Amino acid sequence: LKIALICGGISPEREVSLASGKKITQALRQRGHTVAVIDPAAGHDQPDEDELFSFSIKSEPPSKNGIRSEGSRKYLDAVNIAVPDDTEAVFIALHGTWGEDGRIQALLEFRGIPYTGSGVLASALAMDKIVTKKLFHDAGVPTPVWTSIAVADPDINALKGRINEKFGYPAVVKPPDQGSTVGLTIVSNESDLEHAVDVAFRFSGNVLVESYIPGRELTVSILEGRALPIIEIRPKQGFYDYHNKYTPGRTDYLVPAPVDEEFGKRLQAIAVHAFSVLGCKGFGRVDFRYNDAGQVFCLEVNTIPGMTDTSLVPKAALADGISYEDLCERIVLDSLSCK
Ligand SMILES: Nc1ncnc2c1ncn2[C@@H]1O[C@H](COP(=O)(O)OP(=O)(O)O)[C@@H](O)[C@H]1O
Ligand SMILES: [Mg+2]
């Protein structure tokens, strides 16, 4: 197949995306496909591929200052001009804003080229954790109790009142439309709340505050609409933040997760349900917390999960006997069959 692989971009997760893109490119070429690598941040004038891929993921998360906020207009030229006319499928390996949120998907709809993963609406819904939680609530998908605050109405005292009334501390403060734990703080008491909200506001006009769920962390990968083996995530120190996500050796991954069979099947069913409630397609990953009382809580659905060396979907696929190359190829083939 003639495939265009889109990676990089201008979101805070640019480096993660490049790391995913580099691996996927190698895998698809190894399978004999032709791959044109496109960085949407570069517009029609694409960089040399070796140059684009010569970087390493820094172990610290990007600060707001480190984010390229201009350049989204280049995406138009990249999709319209740099993606070759004879492209049969586009592999979108972008994470976060402009890439995972339905916007690049919409541009590809204009081009009429099939692309991997979820469509425009499902991508946009899943990118917004507040909207996601409202839909989960309606559909009976368990999710931590929450409230939110908007930059347009930043009444911190009213927020404190809602938190105390609904769930108390510890609480988790996060921008609803970022990934990779960017801008997220676990707050142990009210005095730390305001700072955490300010940090999250650097990344988003809305801030989600959630009840902290103690216990274990489980994630369910989805391929072709089917749940893959569950992974338990055990950071050696602290929680699953940017550092623990992308620095090899800092987190233990247990695949398949040591949970009893019946619970595992139930969790996989909840994951598939959560995925379909948002209308997601192709592949993805659904994140959960699991407390000591045996309750599970869905945190979010990732419509373009990481495909880096430390990423979870490739680990889950491998536990199901699917190699990295097979996984990438199946994601592309699925995009041809379901759109
Ligand atoms: N309500 C919560 N209770 C406990 N831990 C949480 C909660 N929300 C987030 N976390 C921790 O923060 C990590 C990132 O949160 P998540 O909502 O999945 O956002 P993202 O992965 O998009 O940054 C989770 O993997 C988990 O370790
Ligand atoms: Mg997550």
Side-chain angles (χ1 to χ4, degrees), residues 13 127 129 133 144-145 170-184 186 208 210-217 233 235 239-241 245 285 287-289 297 299-302:
E13 293 171 278
M127 196 65 212
K129 293 184 173 87
K133 287 169 77 75
V145 184
V172 183
V173 178
K174 50 180 128 170
D177 50 4
Q178 299 291 333
S180 291
T181 328
V182 168
L184 181 150
I186 298 175
L208 167 63
E210 243 179 23
S211 164
Y212 174 81
I213 310 295
R216 296 160 72 181
E217 180 131 352
I233 297 158
F239 74 108
Y240 199 41
D241 59 5
K245 275 181 180 169
R285 208 191 72 228
D287 292 342
F288 291 94
R289 297 285 302 175
F297 297 87
L299 294 180
E300 60 155 347
V301 175
N302 301 284

mmCIF file of all heavy atoms in Angstrom, residues 13 127 129 133 144-145 170-184 186 208 210-217 233 235 239-241 245 285 287-289 297 299-302, ligand 1:
data_model
loop_
_atom_site.group_PDB
_atom_site.id
_atom_site.type_symbol
_atom_site.label_atom_id
_atom_site.label_comp_id
_atom_site.label_asym_id
_atom_site.label_seq_id
_atom_site.Cartn_x
_atom_site.Cartn_y
_atom_site.Cartn_z
ATOM 1 N N GLU A 13 2.541 16.935 22.914
ATOM 2 C CA GLU A 13 3.013 15.555 22.773
ATOM 3 C C GLU A 13 3.756 15.322 21.451
ATOM 4 O O GLU A 13 3.863 14.196 20.976
ATOM 5 C CB GLU A 13 1.831 14.588 22.910
ATOM 6 C CG GLU A 13 1.254 14.579 24.313
ATOM 7 C CD GLU A 13 -0.037 13.804 24.393
ATOM 8 O OE1 GLU A 13 -1.096 14.358 24.063
ATOM 9 O OE2 GLU A 13 0.005 12.623 24.778
ATOM 10 N N MET A 127 -11.422 13.348 23.126
ATOM 11 C CA MET A 127 -10.349 14.288 23.490
ATOM 12 C C MET A 127 -10.758 15.146 24.671
ATOM 13 O O MET A 127 -9.910 15.687 25.368
ATOM 14 C CB MET A 127 -10.041 15.178 22.282
ATOM 15 C CG MET A 127 -8.736 15.912 22.385
ATOM 16 S SD MET A 127 -7.369 14.760 22.392
ATOM 17 C CE MET A 127 -6.219 15.628 23.409
ATOM 18 N N LYS A 129 -12.232 15.239 28.187
ATOM 19 C CA LYS A 129 -12.553 14.318 29.284
ATOM 20 C C LYS A 129 -13.850 14.715 29.991
ATOM 21 O O LYS A 129 -14.518 13.854 30.561
ATOM 22 C CB LYS A 129 -11.394 14.266 30.287
ATOM 23 C CG LYS A 129 -10.125 13.625 29.712
ATOM 24 C CD LYS A 129 -9.034 13.494 30.759
ATOM 25 C CE LYS A 129 -7.833 12.710 30.257
ATOM 26 N NZ LYS A 129 -6.825 13.516 29.560
ATOM 27 N N LYS A 133 -16.965 12.168 30.208
ATOM 28 C CA LYS A 133 -17.531 11.730 31.480
ATOM 29 C C LYS A 133 -19.053 11.912 31.501
ATOM 30 O O LYS A 133 -19.770 11.087 32.080
ATOM 31 C CB LYS A 133 -16.863 12.480 32.641
ATOM 32 C CG LYS A 133 -15.422 11.984 32.869
ATOM 33 C CD LYS A 133 -14.664 12.865 33.820
ATOM 34 C CE LYS A 133 -15.054 12.637 35.261
ATOM 35 N NZ LYS A 133 -14.500 11.390 35.835
ATOM 36 N N PRO A 144 -14.876 8.366 37.834
ATOM 37 C CA PRO A 144 -14.792 9.082 39.112
ATOM 38 C C PRO A 144 -15.723 10.305 39.149
ATOM 39 O O PRO A 144 -15.938 10.953 38.122
ATOM 40 C CB PRO A 144 -13.322 9.535 39.165
ATOM 41 C CG PRO A 144 -12.588 8.612 38.263
ATOM 42 C CD PRO A 144 -13.554 8.245 37.175
ATOM 43 N N VAL A 145 -16.273 10.589 40.326
ATOM 44 C CA VAL A 145 -17.107 11.773 40.512
ATOM 45 C C VAL A 145 -16.262 13.007 40.186
ATOM 46 O O VAL A 145 -15.057 13.021 40.447
ATOM 47 C CB VAL A 145 -17.590 11.860 41.980
ATOM 48 C CG1 VAL A 145 -18.550 13.028 42.174
ATOM 49 C CG2 VAL A 145 -18.254 10.561 42.393
ATOM 50 N N PRO A 170 -7.925 13.367 48.690
ATOM 51 C CA PRO A 170 -7.229 13.953 47.548
ATOM 52 C C PRO A 170 -8.114 14.080 46.304
ATOM 53 O O PRO A 170 -9.069 13.303 46.138
ATOM 54 C CB PRO A 170 -6.064 12.991 47.281
ATOM 55 C CG PRO A 170 -6.300 11.799 48.123
ATOM 56 C CD PRO A 170 -7.358 12.088 49.112
ATOM 57 N N ALA A 171 -7.745 15.035 45.473
ATOM 58 C CA ALA A 171 -8.475 15.240 44.222
ATOM 59 C C ALA A 171 -7.457 15.347 43.085
ATOM 60 O O ALA A 171 -6.288 15.650 43.317
ATOM 61 C CB ALA A 171 -9.298 16.522 44.310
ATOM 62 N N VAL A 172 -7.915 15.072 41.878
ATOM 63 C CA VAL A 172 -7.023 15.132 40.715
ATOM 64 C C VAL A 172 -7.461 16.305 39.836
ATOM 65 O O VAL A 172 -8.631 16.393 39.464
ATOM 66 C CB VAL A 172 -7.063 13.812 39.912
ATOM 67 C CG1 VAL A 172 -6.071 13.862 38.756
ATOM 68 C CG2 VAL A 172 -6.763 12.625 40.814
ATOM 69 N N VAL A 173 -6.516 17.186 39.546
ATOM 70 C CA VAL A 173 -6.804 18.380 38.750
ATOM 71 C C VAL A 173 -6.148 18.215 37.393
ATOM 72 O O VAL A 173 -4.941 17.945 37.323
ATOM 73 C CB VAL A 173 -6.244 19.633 39.461
ATOM 74 C CG1 VAL A 173 -6.494 20.883 38.636
ATOM 75 C CG2 VAL A 173 -6.862 19.781 40.854
ATOM 76 N N LYS A 174 -6.924 18.324 36.321
ATOM 77 C CA LYS A 174 -6.309 18.116 34.996
ATOM 78 C C LYS A 174 -6.980 18.941 33.914
ATOM 79 O O LYS A 174 -8.173 19.195 33.969
ATOM 80 C CB LYS A 174 -6.323 16.629 34.612
ATOM 81 C CG LYS A 174 -7.647 15.916 34.736
ATOM 82 C CD LYS A 174 -7.521 14.426 34.321
ATOM 83 C CE LYS A 174 -8.073 13.476 35.353
ATOM 84 N NZ LYS A 174 -8.198 12.088 34.947
ATOM 85 N N PRO A 175 -6.196 19.365 32.908
ATOM 86 C CA PRO A 175 -6.819 19.965 31.734
ATOM 87 C C PRO A 175 -7.577 18.853 31.011
ATOM 88 O O PRO A 175 -7.033 17.758 30.845
ATOM 89 C CB PRO A 175 -5.638 20.465 30.900
ATOM 90 C CG PRO A 175 -4.424 19.829 31.462
ATOM 91 C CD PRO A 175 -4.738 19.224 32.774
ATOM 92 N N PRO A 176 -8.818 19.074 30.590
ATOM 93 C CA PRO A 176 -9.612 17.957 30.048
ATOM 94 C C PRO A 176 -9.222 17.519 28.649
ATOM 95 O O PRO A 176 -9.655 16.480 28.184
ATOM 96 C CB PRO A 176 -11.044 18.509 30.040
ATOM 97 C CG PRO A 176 -10.891 19.979 30.043
ATOM 98 C CD PRO A 176 -9.603 20.310 30.722
ATOM 99 N N ASP A 177 -8.376 18.313 27.984
ATOM 100 C CA ASP A 177 -8.106 17.998 26.575
ATOM 101 C C ASP A 177 -6.616 17.841 26.283
ATOM 102 O O ASP A 177 -6.133 18.220 25.230
ATOM 103 C CB ASP A 177 -8.718 19.075 25.670
ATOM 104 C CG ASP A 177 -8.321 20.479 26.115
ATOM 105 O OD1 ASP A 177 -7.516 20.602 27.069
ATOM 106 O OD2 ASP A 177 -8.804 21.454 25.520
ATOM 107 N N GLN A 178 -5.864 17.312 27.251
ATOM 108 C CA GLN A 178 -4.451 17.003 27.022
ATOM 109 C C GLN A 178 -4.221 15.536 27.364
ATOM 110 O O GLN A 178 -5.005 14.946 28.088
ATOM 111 C CB GLN A 178 -3.547 17.848 27.924
ATOM 112 C CG GLN A 178 -3.660 19.340 27.699
ATOM 113 C CD GLN A 178 -3.090 19.782 26.355
ATOM 114 O OE1 GLN A 178 -2.196 19.149 25.801
ATOM 115 N NE2 GLN A 178 -3.626 20.866 25.825
ATOM 116 N N GLY A 179 -3.096 14.990 26.886
ATOM 117 C CA GLY A 179 -2.742 13.627 27.256
ATOM 118 C C GLY A 179 -1.389 13.602 27.945
ATOM 119 O O GLY A 179 -0.863 14.653 28.339
ATOM 120 N N SER A 180 -0.845 12.387 28.114
ATOM 121 C CA SER A 180 0.495 12.205 28.689
ATOM 122 C C SER A 180 0.660 12.834 30.073
ATOM 123 O O SER A 180 1.754 13.199 30.477
ATOM 124 C CB SER A 180 1.582 12.760 27.750
ATOM 125 O OG SER A 180 1.675 11.963 26.605
ATOM 126 N N THR A 181 -0.444 12.981 30.794
ATOM 127 C CA THR A 181 -0.428 13.547 32.151
ATOM 128 C C THR A 181 0.084 14.993 32.173
ATOM 129 O O THR A 181 0.488 15.499 33.211
ATOM 130 C CB THR A 181 0.382 12.659 33.141
ATOM 131 O OG1 THR A 181 0.254 11.284 32.756
ATOM 132 C CG2 THR A 181 -0.134 12.774 34.563
ATOM 133 N N VAL A 182 0.065 15.663 31.037
ATOM 134 C CA VAL A 182 0.525 17.048 30.961
ATOM 135 C C VAL A 182 -0.447 17.952 31.733
ATOM 136 O O VAL A 182 -1.659 17.868 31.553
ATOM 137 C CB VAL A 182 0.626 17.500 29.474
ATOM 138 C CG1 VAL A 182 0.824 19.004 29.368
ATOM 139 C CG2 VAL A 182 1.756 16.769 28.770
ATOM 140 N N GLY A 183 0.094 18.775 32.620
ATOM 141 C CA GLY A 183 -0.734 19.746 33.362
ATOM 142 C C GLY A 183 -1.570 19.142 34.473
ATOM 143 O O GLY A 183 -2.429 19.820 35.044
ATOM 144 N N LEU A 184 -1.329 17.866 34.812
ATOM 145 C CA LEU A 184 -2.138 17.173 35.826
ATOM 146 C C LEU A 184 -1.456 17.192 37.207
ATOM 147 O O LEU A 184 -0.257 16.979 37.301
ATOM 148 C CB LEU A 184 -2.371 15.732 35.362
ATOM 149 C CG LEU A 184 -3.223 14.791 36.229
ATOM 150 C CD1 LEU A 184 -3.939 13.766 35.353
ATOM 151 C CD2 LEU A 184 -2.384 14.071 37.287
ATOM 152 N N ILE A 186 -2.058 15.858 41.391
ATOM 153 C CA ILE A 186 -2.856 15.229 42.446
ATOM 154 C C ILE A 186 -2.726 16.126 43.671
ATOM 155 O O ILE A 186 -1.625 16.400 44.139
ATOM 156 C CB ILE A 186 -2.376 13.793 42.735
ATOM 157 C CG1 ILE A 186 -2.550 12.924 41.475
ATOM 158 C CG2 ILE A 186 -3.169 13.186 43.903
ATOM 159 C CD1 ILE A 186 -1.999 11.515 41.592
ATOM 160 N N LEU A 208 -10.751 20.126 34.776
ATOM 161 C CA LEU A 208 -11.533 19.042 35.369
ATOM 162 C C LEU A 208 -10.933 18.703 36.737
ATOM 163 O O LEU A 208 -9.723 18.587 36.866
ATOM 164 C CB LEU A 208 -11.443 17.828 34.433
ATOM 165 C CG LEU A 208 -11.902 16.460 34.932
ATOM 166 C CD1 LEU A 208 -13.396 16.460 35.255
ATOM 167 C CD2 LEU A 208 -11.618 15.400 33.860
ATOM 168 N N GLU A 210 -11.363 15.809 39.713
ATOM 169 C CA GLU A 210 -11.953 14.481 39.882
ATOM 170 C C GLU A 210 -11.635 13.928 41.252
ATOM 171 O O GLU A 210 -10.565 14.212 41.808
ATOM 172 C CB GLU A 210 -11.270 13.541 38.884
ATOM 173 C CG GLU A 210 -12.127 12.955 37.850
ATOM 174 C CD GLU A 210 -11.317 12.059 36.907
ATOM 175 O OE1 GLU A 210 -10.223 11.560 37.270
ATOM 176 O OE2 GLU A 210 -11.794 11.871 35.813
ATOM 177 N N SER A 211 -12.483 13.074 41.746
ATOM 178 C CA SER A 211 -12.176 12.328 42.955
ATOM 179 C C SER A 211 -10.947 11.440 42.690
ATOM 180 O O SER A 211 -10.867 10.781 41.652
ATOM 181 C CB SER A 211 -13.398 11.463 43.281
ATOM 182 O OG SER A 211 -13.055 10.464 44.194
ATOM 183 N N TYR A 212 -9.984 11.442 43.621
ATOM 184 C CA TYR A 212 -8.807 10.575 43.477
ATOM 185 C C TYR A 212 -9.212 9.141 43.824
ATOM 186 O O TYR A 212 -9.799 8.894 44.881
ATOM 187 C CB TYR A 212 -7.685 11.050 44.414
ATOM 188 C CG TYR A 212 -6.499 10.122 44.413
ATOM 189 C CD1 TYR A 212 -5.558 10.191 43.396
ATOM 190 C CD2 TYR A 212 -6.327 9.163 45.417
ATOM 191 C CE1 TYR A 212 -4.471 9.332 43.370
ATOM 192 C CE2 TYR A 212 -5.246 8.291 45.395
ATOM 193 C CZ TYR A 212 -4.320 8.387 44.367
ATOM 194 O OH TYR A 212 -3.253 7.523 44.342
ATOM 195 N N ILE A 213 -8.888 8.207 42.942
ATOM 196 C CA ILE A 213 -9.217 6.799 43.177
ATOM 197 C C ILE A 213 -7.941 6.064 43.593
ATOM 198 O O ILE A 213 -7.048 5.849 42.766
ATOM 199 C CB ILE A 213 -9.792 6.119 41.904
ATOM 200 C CG1 ILE A 213 -10.926 6.954 41.279
ATOM 201 C CG2 ILE A 213 -10.235 4.691 42.203
ATOM 202 C CD1 ILE A 213 -12.171 7.107 42.135
ATOM 203 N N PRO A 214 -7.833 5.690 44.881
ATOM 204 C CA PRO A 214 -6.641 4.947 45.304
ATOM 205 C C PRO A 214 -6.687 3.535 44.731
ATOM 206 O O PRO A 214 -7.743 3.087 44.274
ATOM 207 C CB PRO A 214 -6.775 4.919 46.833
ATOM 208 C CG PRO A 214 -8.232 5.042 47.096
ATOM 209 C CD PRO A 214 -8.833 5.805 45.938
ATOM 210 N N GLY A 215 -5.560 2.857 44.736
ATOM 211 C CA GLY A 215 -5.568 1.460 44.298
ATOM 212 C C GLY A 215 -4.713 1.228 43.076
ATOM 213 O O GLY A 215 -3.640 1.817 42.933
ATOM 214 N N ARG A 216 -5.214 0.391 42.164
ATOM 215 C CA ARG A 216 -4.390 -0.072 41.048
ATOM 216 C C ARG A 216 -4.771 0.618 39.738
ATOM 217 O O ARG A 216 -5.849 1.172 39.606
ATOM 218 C CB ARG A 216 -4.562 -1.594 40.904
ATOM 219 C CG ARG A 216 -4.043 -2.346 42.119
ATOM 220 C CD ARG A 216 -4.637 -3.749 42.211
ATOM 221 N NE ARG A 216 -4.104 -4.645 41.188
ATOM 222 C CZ ARG A 216 -4.492 -5.921 41.054
ATOM 223 N NH1 ARG A 216 -5.427 -6.441 41.862
ATOM 224 N NH2 ARG A 216 -3.953 -6.689 40.119
ATOM 225 N N GLU A 217 -3.850 0.533 38.786
ATOM 226 C CA GLU A 217 -4.089 1.153 37.483
ATOM 227 C C GLU A 217 -4.094 0.068 36.400
ATOM 228 O O GLU A 217 -3.143 -0.699 36.277
ATOM 229 C CB GLU A 217 -2.976 2.169 37.218
ATOM 230 C CG GLU A 217 -3.119 2.862 35.898
ATOM 231 C CD GLU A 217 -2.998 4.379 36.024
ATOM 232 O OE1 GLU A 217 -2.952 4.905 37.158
ATOM 233 O OE2 GLU A 217 -2.967 5.010 34.983
ATOM 234 N N ILE A 233 -0.416 -1.322 35.354
ATOM 235 C CA ILE A 233 0.683 -0.355 35.319
ATOM 236 C C ILE A 233 1.111 -0.083 36.745
ATOM 237 O O ILE A 233 0.293 0.337 37.570
ATOM 238 C CB ILE A 233 0.186 0.956 34.660
ATOM 239 C CG1 ILE A 233 -0.227 0.696 33.209
ATOM 240 C CG2 ILE A 233 1.238 2.050 34.758
ATOM 241 C CD1 ILE A 233 -1.177 1.722 32.658
ATOM 242 N N PRO A 235 3.943 2.112 38.467
ATOM 243 C CA PRO A 235 5.116 2.981 38.540
ATOM 244 C C PRO A 235 5.919 2.627 39.790
ATOM 245 O O PRO A 235 5.334 2.314 40.830
ATOM 246 C CB PRO A 235 4.521 4.387 38.671
ATOM 247 C CG PRO A 235 3.097 4.254 38.265
ATOM 248 C CD PRO A 235 2.682 2.848 38.579
ATOM 249 N N PHE A 239 3.080 8.427 40.774
ATOM 250 C CA PHE A 239 1.994 7.943 39.917
ATOM 251 C C PHE A 239 2.432 7.960 38.455
ATOM 252 O O PHE A 239 3.586 8.235 38.142
ATOM 253 C CB PHE A 239 0.702 8.727 40.175
ATOM 254 C CG PHE A 239 0.688 10.125 39.609
ATOM 255 C CD1 PHE A 239 -0.100 10.435 38.511
ATOM 256 C CD2 PHE A 239 1.458 11.122 40.175
ATOM 257 C CE1 PHE A 239 -0.122 11.720 37.975
ATOM 258 C CE2 PHE A 239 1.453 12.411 39.646
ATOM 259 C CZ PHE A 239 0.666 12.705 38.545
ATOM 260 N N TYR A 240 1.499 7.632 37.559
ATOM 261 C CA TYR A 240 1.861 7.431 36.158
ATOM 262 C C TYR A 240 1.902 8.776 35.428
ATOM 263 O O TYR A 240 1.032 9.091 34.629
ATOM 264 C CB TYR A 240 0.852 6.468 35.535
ATOM 265 C CG TYR A 240 1.300 5.810 34.253
ATOM 266 C CD1 TYR A 240 2.602 5.348 34.093
ATOM 267 C CD2 TYR A 240 0.409 5.610 33.207
ATOM 268 C CE1 TYR A 240 3.004 4.745 32.929
ATOM 269 C CE2 TYR A 240 0.793 5.000 32.031
ATOM 270 C CZ TYR A 240 2.098 4.568 31.896
ATOM 271 O OH TYR A 240 2.491 3.958 30.728
ATOM 272 N N ASP A 241 2.944 9.557 35.747
ATOM 273 C CA ASP A 241 3.076 10.875 35.130
ATOM 274 C C ASP A 241 3.970 10.785 33.883
ATOM 275 O O ASP A 241 4.390 9.690 33.484
ATOM 276 C CB ASP A 241 3.621 11.905 36.143
ATOM 277 C CG ASP A 241 4.989 11.499 36.686
ATOM 278 O OD1 ASP A 241 5.555 10.479 36.224
ATOM 279 O OD2 ASP A 241 5.482 12.194 37.586
ATOM 280 N N LYS A 245 5.927 7.605 32.332
ATOM 281 C CA LYS A 245 5.390 7.055 31.089
ATOM 282 C C LYS A 245 6.477 6.831 30.047
ATOM 283 O O LYS A 245 6.445 5.857 29.305
ATOM 284 C CB LYS A 245 4.338 8.005 30.489
ATOM 285 C CG LYS A 245 2.945 7.813 31.074
ATOM 286 C CD LYS A 245 1.889 8.736 30.474
ATOM 287 C CE LYS A 245 0.547 8.451 31.145
ATOM 288 N NZ LYS A 245 -0.494 9.433 30.859
ATOM 289 N N ARG A 285 -7.290 2.818 23.405
ATOM 290 C CA ARG A 285 -6.919 2.288 24.725
ATOM 291 C C ARG A 285 -7.778 2.967 25.768
ATOM 292 O O ARG A 285 -7.976 4.174 25.733
ATOM 293 C CB ARG A 285 -5.453 2.572 24.998
ATOM 294 C CG ARG A 285 -4.781 1.568 25.928
ATOM 295 C CD ARG A 285 -3.416 2.061 26.359
ATOM 296 N NE ARG A 285 -3.573 3.154 27.287
ATOM 297 C CZ ARG A 285 -2.915 4.323 27.196
ATOM 298 N NH1 ARG A 285 -2.055 4.543 26.243
ATOM 299 N NH2 ARG A 285 -3.133 5.261 28.088
ATOM 300 N N ASP A 287 -8.395 3.689 29.793
ATOM 301 C CA ASP A 287 -7.664 3.719 31.069
ATOM 302 C C ASP A 287 -8.602 3.613 32.269
ATOM 303 O O ASP A 287 -9.639 4.272 32.306
ATOM 304 C CB ASP A 287 -6.881 5.041 31.198
ATOM 305 C CG ASP A 287 -5.741 5.146 30.204
ATOM 306 O OD1 ASP A 287 -5.329 4.119 29.654
ATOM 307 O OD2 ASP A 287 -5.250 6.284 29.998
ATOM 308 N N PHE A 288 -8.195 2.812 33.256
ATOM 309 C CA PHE A 288 -9.024 2.573 34.439
ATOM 310 C C PHE A 288 -8.242 2.707 35.735
ATOM 311 O O PHE A 288 -7.029 2.465 35.771
ATOM 312 C CB PHE A 288 -9.573 1.137 34.422
ATOM 313 C CG PHE A 288 -10.581 0.866 33.354
ATOM 314 C CD1 PHE A 288 -10.186 0.341 32.127
ATOM 315 C CD2 PHE A 288 -11.927 1.124 33.572
ATOM 316 C CE1 PHE A 288 -11.114 0.077 31.129
ATOM 317 C CE2 PHE A 288 -12.865 0.859 32.575
ATOM 318 C CZ PHE A 288 -12.460 0.326 31.364
ATOM 319 N N ARG A 289 -8.944 3.009 36.812
ATOM 320 C CA ARG A 289 -8.449 2.830 38.170
ATOM 321 C C ARG A 289 -9.323 1.743 38.810
ATOM 322 O O ARG A 289 -10.492 1.588 38.465
ATOM 323 C CB ARG A 289 -8.556 4.129 38.979
ATOM 324 C CG ARG A 289 -7.730 5.270 38.443
ATOM 325 C CD ARG A 289 -6.249 5.149 38.718
ATOM 326 N NE ARG A 289 -5.957 5.060 40.141
ATOM 327 C CZ ARG A 289 -4.740 4.853 40.630
ATOM 328 N NH1 ARG A 289 -3.702 4.707 39.811
ATOM 329 N NH2 ARG A 289 -4.542 4.781 41.920
ATOM 330 N N PHE A 297 -13.152 2.336 37.736
ATOM 331 C CA PHE A 297 -13.544 3.668 37.283
ATOM 332 C C PHE A 297 -12.804 3.959 35.988
ATOM 333 O O PHE A 297 -11.583 3.849 35.925
ATOM 334 C CB PHE A 297 -13.139 4.724 38.327
ATOM 335 C CG PHE A 297 -13.833 4.559 39.642
ATOM 336 C CD1 PHE A 297 -13.302 3.720 40.617
ATOM 337 C CD2 PHE A 297 -15.015 5.231 39.906
ATOM 338 C CE1 PHE A 297 -13.938 3.546 41.829
ATOM 339 C CE2 PHE A 297 -15.661 5.071 41.131
ATOM 340 C CZ PHE A 297 -15.126 4.226 42.100
ATOM 341 N N LEU A 299 -11.180 6.292 33.370
ATOM 342 C CA LEU A 299 -10.638 7.656 33.343
ATOM 343 C C LEU A 299 -10.820 8.307 31.976
ATOM 344 O O LEU A 299 -11.150 9.477 31.879
ATOM 345 C CB LEU A 299 -9.146 7.651 33.693
ATOM 346 C CG LEU A 299 -8.743 7.229 35.102
ATOM 347 C CD1 LEU A 299 -7.222 7.287 35.247
ATOM 348 C CD2 LEU A 299 -9.407 8.124 36.141
ATOM 349 N N GLU A 300 -10.581 7.539 30.927
ATOM 350 C CA GLU A 300 -10.614 8.150 29.595
ATOM 351 C C GLU A 300 -10.452 7.087 28.515
ATOM 352 O O GLU A 300 -10.023 5.965 28.776
ATOM 353 C CB GLU A 300 -9.463 9.159 29.457
ATOM 354 C CG GLU A 300 -8.092 8.515 29.643
ATOM 355 C CD GLU A 300 -6.958 9.267 28.954
ATOM 356 O OE1 GLU A 300 -7.232 10.153 28.135
ATOM 357 O OE2 GLU A 300 -5.799 8.918 29.229
ATOM 358 N N VAL A 301 -10.780 7.516 27.287
ATOM 359 C CA VAL A 301 -10.494 6.696 26.108
ATOM 360 C C VAL A 301 -9.453 7.446 25.276
ATOM 361 O O VAL A 301 -9.604 8.642 25.013
ATOM 362 C CB VAL A 301 -11.762 6.474 25.249
ATOM 363 C CG1 VAL A 301 -11.418 5.720 23.962
ATOM 364 C CG2 VAL A 301 -12.833 5.720 26.036
ATOM 365 N N ASN A 302 -8.378 6.766 24.908
ATOM 366 C CA ASN A 302 -7.358 7.349 24.033
ATOM 367 C C ASN A 302 -7.609 6.849 22.620
ATOM 368 O O ASN A 302 -7.563 5.647 22.378
ATOM 369 C CB ASN A 302 -5.962 6.907 24.481
ATOM 370 C CG ASN A 302 -5.686 7.318 25.907
ATOM 371 O OD1 ASN A 302 -5.412 8.475 26.192
ATOM 372 N ND2 ASN A 302 -5.800 6.370 26.838
HETATM 373 N N1 LIG B 1 -9.179 10.132 39.370
HETATM 374 C C1 LIG B 1 -7.942 9.626 39.436
HETATM 375 N N2 LIG B 1 -7.567 8.881 40.501
HETATM 376 C C2 LIG B 1 -6.306 8.385 40.592
HETATM 377 N N3 LIG B 1 -5.355 8.600 39.671
HETATM 378 C C3 LIG B 1 -5.666 9.343 38.581
HETATM 379 C C4 LIG B 1 -6.971 9.897 38.400
HETATM 380 N N4 LIG B 1 -6.974 10.604 37.249
HETATM 381 C C5 LIG B 1 -5.741 10.487 36.721
HETATM 382 N N5 LIG B 1 -4.942 9.742 37.502
HETATM 383 C C6 LIG B 1 -3.529 9.388 37.243
HETATM 384 O O1 LIG B 1 -3.014 10.268 36.229
HETATM 385 C C7 LIG B 1 -2.721 9.534 35.025
HETATM 386 C C8 LIG B 1 -3.153 10.332 33.785
HETATM 387 O O2 LIG B 1 -4.537 10.613 33.849
HETATM 388 P P1 LIG B 1 -5.536 10.432 32.623
HETATM 389 O O3 LIG B 1 -6.866 10.928 33.072
HETATM 390 O O4 LIG B 1 -5.487 9.042 32.099
HETATM 391 O O5 LIG B 1 -4.993 11.478 31.565
HETATM 392 P P2 LIG B 1 -3.912 11.393 30.372
HETATM 393 O O6 LIG B 1 -3.376 9.998 30.317
HETATM 394 O O7 LIG B 1 -4.706 11.759 29.161
HETATM 395 O O8 LIG B 1 -2.905 12.417 30.713
HETATM 396 C C9 LIG B 1 -3.485 8.229 35.157
HETATM 397 O O9 LIG B 1 -2.859 7.239 34.400
HETATM 398 C C10 LIG B 1 -3.441 7.985 36.666
HETATM 399 O O10 LIG B 1 -2.204 7.448 37.064
#
